[in-house]
Amino acid sequence: MAQQDEIFKKLVSHSKEYGFIYPSSEVYDGLAAVYDYGPYGSLLKNNIKEYWWKAMVQLNENIVGIDAAIFMHPKTWKASGHVDAFNDPMLDNKDSKKRFRADQLIEGVIEKLQDKINKEVEKAAKRFGDSFDEKMFRKTNPRCVEYAAKAADIDHRMNLHMKNGDMVGLKSMIDELEIADPDTGSRNWTEVRQFNLMFHTQLGNIAGEESKLYLRPETAQGIFVNFLNVQKSTRQKIPFGIAQIGKAFRNEIVARQFIFRMREFEQMEMQFFIRPGTQQDWYAKWKETRMAWHLALGTPQSKLRFKDHDNLAHYADAAVDVQFEFPFGFRELEGIHSRTDFDLGAHQELSGKKMQYFDPELGENYVPFVVETSIGCDRMFLAMMSHAFTEEDVPDAKGEDAKRTVLKLHPALAPVKCAVLPLLKNKEELTSAAMKIFNDLRYVVNCQYDEKDAIGRRYRRQDAIGTPYCITVDFQTLEDNTVTIRDRDTLQQERIKIEDIERIVLQKTDMRRLLEKL
Ligand code: GAP
């Protein structure tokens, strides 16, 4: 774990140094859990959004996109349940004055027990060598069994208290488990209270509850309230979906782990409207479809898994997370929720406007059910960056070239697809030939021209931002119109004709190739 922590720290500093992510308003020492995307970060983020949008909207005739406002009528959030139920259980440490989420403190104990199990397994694996049967060891070793039973019991009791909204129960667990403030060791806690996660502001200069506006905590409600507008204007028939990418805001109590849990973030959500009673089938279909979307990027199956929700949100009758193995462990990357007719039904009731669909095949009106897929763009960004971040030795290289840091991003997501590099800076024949290639290529893909420093250094700079190809223009180029093309991952260099550059670069980097795998 210590090694993973180290890698994560390096990733955070790499992200800043190479213009992916900066702390927000850093000149004022930053703002907790708010981040800005730099030149390469914004390109990578746009590519992630493009992949999602094309896979969800462009490739599905029965899914259309919208872009709803962040501000919505305050009654929206009453109907959706967010005013009353969008809470986290929190408590303060009276000595350190720091605020924590009760469930996360308890989960910390479970994680420690799991670490202990993993240590036992590691020790035994070393002791027994090739004959080690890990599954059997976990099942039979008395210490592993004891730790696992303890973790399961804590998990079960915590989930029960969460489900029942039992704050006293959570507090008594914190006392019983002797949980201390991780920074100071103090156990001087307040009671556990519910804390609403929505940010609010005031409309114009009108005071009072009526003018209280919320910054949306999910983009989904902009889709629900527009359901009939979209259905009528696009003449879609059920089943059909509405997709949206946009900002969401949550006053997270414990915002940490870089961009994993932010207070301002971006969601990519799709609400799929279906006949009541068909939700199980559609839920299964969207689980499969979304997993295929992740796998197409080359993320190994071992880094992705489904985790059913223990505590269902107020709107769901089934819910699962797609978890990704971040450097700090498996965590939620995406949620797939069967939201029943909760949202449309609640808006119908509070607004007094019908939210029904006339099904021509059944000849009847009903409030559609909804299965949603919801992924955080920033979390997807972190998943891709942490999977791509690699430090490795370069074969046959010496000195500062012997090691490299490379972002092995999927080429379709890479911010820059190709760099054009003249071998030498002060040879006009080389720079003008390279510039000509660059000026032609920039119409097709995002590429860079770089003539500063030795060629090895320029390769490293491109590796560090994940550029899949480097094209080098050398003296042979002037003789036979060929260049070398270097592959970021294999480090192989090949000689190709100038006229073939575009085709070769597009073969790997074009979003189309990725979409065709779906
Ligand atoms: N409309 C359903 C919904 O909002 P959610 O599980 O609360 O469900 C969906 O959020 C996704 O949004 C999560 O899987 C995660 O990727 C992202 N997300 C949620 N809170 C976040 C935060 N504070 N920072 C970054 N991403 C977040």
Side-chain angles (χ1 to χ4, degrees):
M1 210 57 194
Q3 198 192 355
Q4 291 299 82
D5 284 352
E6 204 46 47
I7 291 175
F8 190 51
K9 272 191 203 145
K10 282 185 183 169
L11 174 66
V12 174
S13 73
H14 187 91
S15 297
K16 186 177 165 203
E17 185 180 350
Y18 285 94
F20 284 85
I21 297 171
Y22 310 123
S24 162
S25 31
E26 200 186 6
V27 286
Y28 297 105
D29 298 331
L31 184 63
V34 185
Y35 291 91
D36 298 334
Y37 285 82
Y40 299 119
S42 48
L43 286 165
L44 171 56
K45 199 175 178 204
N46 280 342
N47 292 341
I48 291 172
K49 290 195 255 186
E50 186 189 341
Y51 175 43
W52 185 86
W53 189 266
K54 286 190 167 163
M56 300 298 273
V57 181
Q58 194 167 310
L59 294 186
N60 288 295
E61 279 162 40
N62 63 347
I63 300 181
V64 292
I66 64 163
D67 182 10
I70 287 171
F71 288 137
M72 299 183 72
H73 193 286
K75 281 188 181 166
T76 309
W77 305 109
K78 185 72 191 157
S80 69
H82 284 83
V83 171
D84 299 317
F86 195 51
N87 300 318
D88 274 345
M90 61 101 187
L91 74 172
D92 294 325
N93 187 282
K94 291 184 199 163
D95 296 327
S96 69
K97 312 273 181 256
K98 279 200 180 144
R99 185 161 284 182
F100 295 87
R101 256 174 70 176
D103 55 331
Q104 287 182 347
L105 286 177
I106 298 171
E107 273 164 6
V109 177
I110 298 173
E111 271 168 29
K112 274 189 195 142
L113 286 165
Q114 264 143 10
D115 284 348
K116 281 186 177 176
I117 297 176
N118 291 340
K119 272 198 192 123
E120 293 293 335
V121 171
E122 256 173 53
K123 270 197 286 177
K126 267 191 205 146
R127 216 177 325 128
F128 294 114
D130 287 347
S131 63
F132 183 56
D133 181 347
E134 183 180 326
K135 243 188 187 167
M136 183 58 82
F137 182 81
R138 281 178 186 272
K139 258 200 221 157
T140 53
N141 175 270
R143 258 183 246 139
C144 288
V145 172
E146 185 198 324
Y147 294 147
K150 204 168 172 192
D153 171 61
I154 295 171
D155 194 42
H156 172 73
R157 285 193 290 142
M158 181 190 73
N159 282 321
L160 210 63
H161 294 323
M162 291 291 285
K163 203 169 166 187
N164 298 333
D166 182 356
M167 300 299 111
V168 176
L170 288 173
K171 177 66 188 351
S172 64
M173 282 189 78
I174 286 173
D175 293 336
E176 168 209 317
L177 296 168
E178 301 184 341
I179 298 176
D181 177 330
D183 300 328
T184 63
S186 159
R187 290 198 205 128
N188 193 6
W189 296 110
T190 62
E191 293 310 305
V192 179
R193 279 168 292 152
Q194 293 281 25
F195 178 85
N196 193 283
L197 298 185
M198 282 196 292
F199 283 105
H200 54 84
T201 182
Q202 217 63 35
L203 175 69
N205 55 3
I206 317 161
E209 275 303 301
E210 270 304 291
S211 63
K212 191 172 180 181
L213 286 188
Y214 295 99
L215 298 189
R216 64 182 179 197
E218 61 170 6
T219 58
Q221 297 303 324
I223 290 179
F224 288 123
V225 298
N226 276 301
F227 155 70
L228 277 184
N229 280 339
V230 175
Q231 192 273 322
K232 283 181 185 147
S233 53
T234 59
R235 303 167 66 85
Q236 289 283 354
K237 288 207 177 95
I238 273 177
F240 78 95
I242 305 177
Q244 176 170 215
I245 299 178
K247 290 268 184 170
F249 304 83
R250 295 183 190 177
N251 199 359
E252 299 283 0
I253 303 166
V254 185
R256 55 177 184 190
Q257 283 156 339
F258 196 32
I259 57 168
F260 180 80
R261 198 176 299 285
M262 299 157 90
R263 297 205 161 101
E264 173 181 340
F265 58 100
E266 215 161 352
Q267 288 186 316
M268 308 190 284
E269 296 200 296
M270 192 278 303
Q271 267 60 41
F272 201 68
F273 298 90
I274 54 175
R275 272 187 198 160
T278 62
Q279 66 268 34
Q280 268 184 9
D281 291 344
W282 284 112
Y283 179 65
K285 149 109 184 26
W286 279 110
K287 273 176 73 176
E288 190 188 317
T289 307
R290 293 302 305 148
M291 187 55 94
W293 185 87
H294 289 285
L295 292 172
L297 284 166
T299 309
Q301 180 73 74
S302 59
K303 286 203 141 220
L304 291 161
R305 70 182 188 195
F306 286 119
K307 169 93 171 51
D308 286 321
H309 282 206
D310 297 314
N311 298 304
L312 290 176
H314 57 276
Y315 49 70
D317 72 354
V320 69
D321 289 340
V322 177
Q323 290 191 332
F324 174 82
E325 192 177 19
F326 291 94
F328 38 84
F330 272 100
R331 295 284 189 284
E332 173 185 353
L333 170 60
E334 168 158 12
I336 298 159
H337 313 127
S338 169
R339 287 181 82 132
T340 66
D341 57 356
F342 176 87
D343 301 86
L344 291 181
H347 288 307
Q348 175 168 277
E349 200 178 315
L350 197 65
S351 68
K353 312 264 166 44
K354 280 220 153 46
M355 286 283 179
Q356 294 191 347
Y357 167 80
F358 176 73
D359 191 322
E361 280 172 36
L362 297 181
E364 63 181 60
N365 281 303
Y366 55 77
V367 176
F369 271 40
V370 170
V371 171
E372 88 172 342
T373 72
S374 173
I375 176 166
C377 186
D378 314 85
R379 254 182 222 186
M380 185 62 193
F381 185 107
L382 184 58
M384 292 300 94
M385 285 288 277
S386 53
H387 181 52
F389 184 79
T390 313
E391 289 180 309
E392 63 184 19
D393 295 331
V394 181
D396 308 322
K398 289 198 185 90
E400 67 170 21
D401 286 344
K403 279 206 181 303
R404 68 169 185 158
T405 303
V406 51
L407 287 185
K408 294 188 175 178
L409 292 164
H410 189 288
L413 298 187
V416 178
K417 307 298 184 201
C418 170
V420 184
L421 318 169
L423 186 63
L424 299 171
K425 181 182 172 183
N426 41 17
K427 286 274 176 231
E428 210 275 325
E429 317 90 281
L430 295 182
T431 53
S432 65
M435 193 50 103
K436 193 161 172 291
I437 294 170
F438 168 68
N439 277 332
D440 193 39
L441 212 51
R442 70 203 302 190
Y443 287 104
V444 186
V445 289
N446 191 33
C447 56
Q448 280 192 346
Y449 172 86
D450 188 5
E451 59 178 28
K452 282 179 237 99
D453 301 318
I455 194 78
R457 261 226 183 138
R458 283 182 270 162
Y459 286 153
R460 297 289 168 272
R461 271 205 292 269
Q462 295 302 329
D463 286 345
I465 60 166
T467 306
Y469 289 117
C470 287
I471 308 281
T472 305
V473 173
D474 55 18
F475 291 104
Q476 195 176 326
T477 310
L478 307 178
E479 284 164 23
D480 63 4
N481 279 331
T482 61
V483 290
T484 61
I485 185 163
R486 170 188 179 270
D487 184 295
R488 175 197 71 194
D489 301 334
T490 63
L491 292 171
Q492 295 298 314
Q493 301 212 21
E494 238 185 286
R495 244 198 132 89
I496 59 167
K497 289 188 192 144
I498 290 178
E499 67 207 51
D500 290 335
I501 297 176
E502 183 179 319
R503 181 181 52 79
I504 292 171
V505 170
L506 279 179
Q507 222 162 44
K508 242 197 197 177
T509 63
D510 195 355
M511 188 71 74
R512 182 190 172 124
R513 301 278 165 266
L514 181 54
L515 293 165
E516 278 172 350
K517 285 198 209 159
L518 297 175

